[in-house]
Amino acid sequence: MLATVFSGAVYGVDAYRVEIEVNAGRGDPQIIVVGLPDAAVRESRDRVHTAILNAGFKPHIGKQVINLAPADIKKEGPVFDLPIAVGMLAASGEIETDKLDRYAMIGELALSGEVRSVKGVLPIALRCRDAGLTGLLVPTENAEEAAVVKGLDVHPVASLREATNFLEAASGATPFHVDTDTLFNSNDHHATDYAEVKGQEQAKRAIEVAVAGGHNCLMIGSPGTGKSMLAKRLPSILPAMTLEEALQATNIHSISGTLGAHRALITQRPFRSPHHTISDAGLLGGGTHPAPGEVSLAHHGVLFLDELPEFRRNVLEVLRQPLEDGHVTISRASGSVTFPCRFMLVAAMNPCPCGFYGDPKRDCRCTDAHIHKYRNKISGPLLDRIDIHVEVPPISHDDLMSLEEGEPSAAIRERAIDARHIQQERFAQAEQTHCNANMSQKEIREHCRMNNDTQQLLRSAINELNFSARAYDRILKVARTIADLAQSESIEIDHVGEAIQYRTLDRQLWS
């Protein structure tokens, strides 16, 4: 007897439908799995057989052939345990149901018959909906994640017996439901606030500009000046995620297995802070079966690199292409996988190995050669891709001991959101551009026009400070954001002056 069960698998950030065909026939008792299964899928034969016994079913005595179609794509992981078990029961006549052609199912089976959570549930649910299926059976821990997909009935199951009871029931159970509006409202709070930061008004202004336009930012200062403190409060002023952005970010975290049980959506922008010992594969993604790296896990959020020169040179250099393109492609012999990585890079560093170069109160112990070697770990092409370079000076005793709080994050966030709204209207017809930092050359020419005096200031700065063509574009983008914060339709001379200031610091430091 032949039975067909629908399931799904993930390749890259997308999913594809898998048809599991089970034929129960005569012959010596054996289970054969074909269709390019990996070791985890082949091992499912013993897991599924034992789970069927412990769930109280009678397994088929004879030869069973299980085909995973399409047969030209390698199948990985334990996600097919539940559909294979249901297919074996249906093929042997242990269960009778007419729902197999309308419902897909995924889940790992324990030996007891319990259904365990798996990775990649969200992209599989999206694929099932697009394929026209009625519903999806998922492990209980993954129910919230799958239920955010509208137009698909999601039914959580805790065991193989519970899954078969649903399939054999004459009437379907009530689908699991998640209210996405409630999810966004319940997560709109932050434990940290910029009101806690003493002084550093120039650095906070630079971070406000960076957030308002989605610009990359580098903070330079001695140890203890508050660089990490400023960076870790960034999530409190980032604009709220849209549903589309939340789905894209959740998709990546679901595939990588970092979403967590009973979590439906990532509703706050990701903030990733990898250690400086990370490899280029850990940062970009990779492995035998390519998985997303930190740049993709920071999609629509912030990637914070503390102690930037401590990262290996080859690791930093691989950031150049993702920063420009907003995606990263991992190529292997079996094929290529593309992961999205549109993130805001925020980095922090000391001015020298000991950290006290230029400090007015503490002496630097580094030689010129050591300082030069330390700074050269960050290449010019990478610096050109960082829009804003800001100095974070030591905090004065008066600011440190002051009882007066700084400007709260809510006020900064409101200004940043107003600037983002202007950009959304500006780029309403653009497919790839969502903020000033993503502007193309054509959009820069269209939206960054200046009067003669402003052009003359920029021309003088380029000639005197020897800016590259990329740095010129970055200045224009930052100036456009500063103008948006000021609610100005045109870019004025003071807007360009402030944008140039965020580049001259870097050129003075590296000269």
Side-chain angles (χ1 to χ4, degrees), residues 173-196:
T174 303
F176 190 85
H177 177 71
V178 168
D179 186 356
T180 54
D181 292 336
T182 302
L183 289 174
F184 278 97
N185 294 333
S186 62
N187 287 292
D188 191 20
H189 65 277
H190 300 275
T192 56
D193 196 286
Y194 274 110
E196 303 160 351

Side-chain angles (χ1 to χ4, degrees), residues 64-145:
Q64 291 178 292
V65 179
I66 302 168
N67 179 45
L68 309 178
D72 60 340
I73 302 177
K74 192 173 184 63
K75 315 302 184 306
E76 304 167 1
V79 67
F80 306 112
D81 286 7
L82 178 60
I84 286 175
V86 170
M88 292 171 67
L89 293 172
S92 63
E94 279 291 293
I95 63 171
E96 294 183 2
T97 177
D98 60 352
K99 296 179 182 178
L100 294 184
D101 59 344
R102 293 180 285 120
Y103 285 82
M105 57 196 74
I106 54 176
E108 177 185 350
L109 285 178
L111 297 183
S112 62
E114 294 180 356
V115 180
R116 292 173 173 166
S117 62
V118 292
K119 299 188 294 185
V121 172
L122 179 57
I124 292 174
L126 290 168
R127 183 67 186 92
C128 290
R129 182 195 63 184
D130 296 341
L133 294 175
T134 301
L136 176 66
L137 274 63
V138 300
T140 303
E141 293 182 359
N142 298 123
E144 289 86 353
E145 178 186 347

Side-chain angles (χ1 to χ4, degrees), residues 114-279:
E114 294 180 356
V115 180
R116 292 173 173 166
S117 62
V118 292
K119 299 188 294 185
V121 172
L122 179 57
I124 292 174
L126 290 168
R127 183 67 186 92
C128 290
R129 182 195 63 184
D130 296 341
L133 294 175
T134 301
L136 176 66
L137 274 63
V138 300
T140 303
E141 293 182 359
N142 298 123
E144 289 86 353
E145 178 186 347
V148 300
V149 179
K150 305 303 179 184
L152 183 73
D153 293 342
V154 174
H155 298 277
V157 292
S159 65
L160 176 59
R161 175 62 72 174
E162 189 175 331
T164 57
N165 289 341
F166 168 80
L167 293 171
E168 290 186 306
S171 59
T174 303
F176 190 85
H177 177 71
V178 168
D179 186 356
T180 54
D181 292 336
T182 302
L183 289 174
F184 278 97
N185 294 333
S186 62
N187 287 292
D188 191 20
H189 65 277
H190 300 275
T192 56
D193 196 286
Y194 274 110
E196 303 160 351
V197 179
K198 304 290 187 179
Q200 304 297 7
E201 298 303 324
Q202 181 182 2
K204 285 194 282 187
R205 167 62 178 177
I207 289 175
E208 178 183 339
V209 173
V211 170
H215 303 288
N216 303 319
C217 180
L218 170 64
M219 294 180 285
I220 308 168
S222 301
T225 56
K227 302 185 296 297
S228 298
M229 186 178 186
L230 287 163
K232 291 177 180 179
R233 279 152 180 75
L234 264 168
S236 66
I237 63 172
L238 292 172
M241 298 182 80
T242 64
L243 179 58
E244 181 182 358
E245 290 175 335
L247 285 172
Q248 292 175 3
T250 306
N251 209 25
I252 296 171
H253 284 258
S254 174
I255 293 166
S256 64
T258 59
L259 186 60
H262 298 292
R263 186 173 184 184
L265 273 178
I266 292 178
T267 54
Q268 292 184 350
R269 295 189 181 274
F271 183 89
R272 305 293 298 186
S273 180
H275 193 260
H276 64 260
T277 56
I278 192 172
S279 65

Side-chain angles (χ1 to χ4, degrees), residues 31-34 36-51 66 68 75-82 84 88 108-111 116:
I31 302 173
I32 301 174
V33 181
V34 297
L36 284 183
D38 71 348
V41 179
R42 286 194 297 270
E43 289 174 354
S44 67
R45 295 174 300 185
D46 300 321
R47 283 197 306 272
V48 169
H49 180 77
T50 306
I66 302 168
L68 309 178
K75 315 302 184 306
E76 304 167 1
V79 67
F80 306 112
D81 286 7
L82 178 60
I84 286 175
M88 292 171 67
E108 177 185 350
L109 285 178
L111 297 183
R116 292 173 173 166

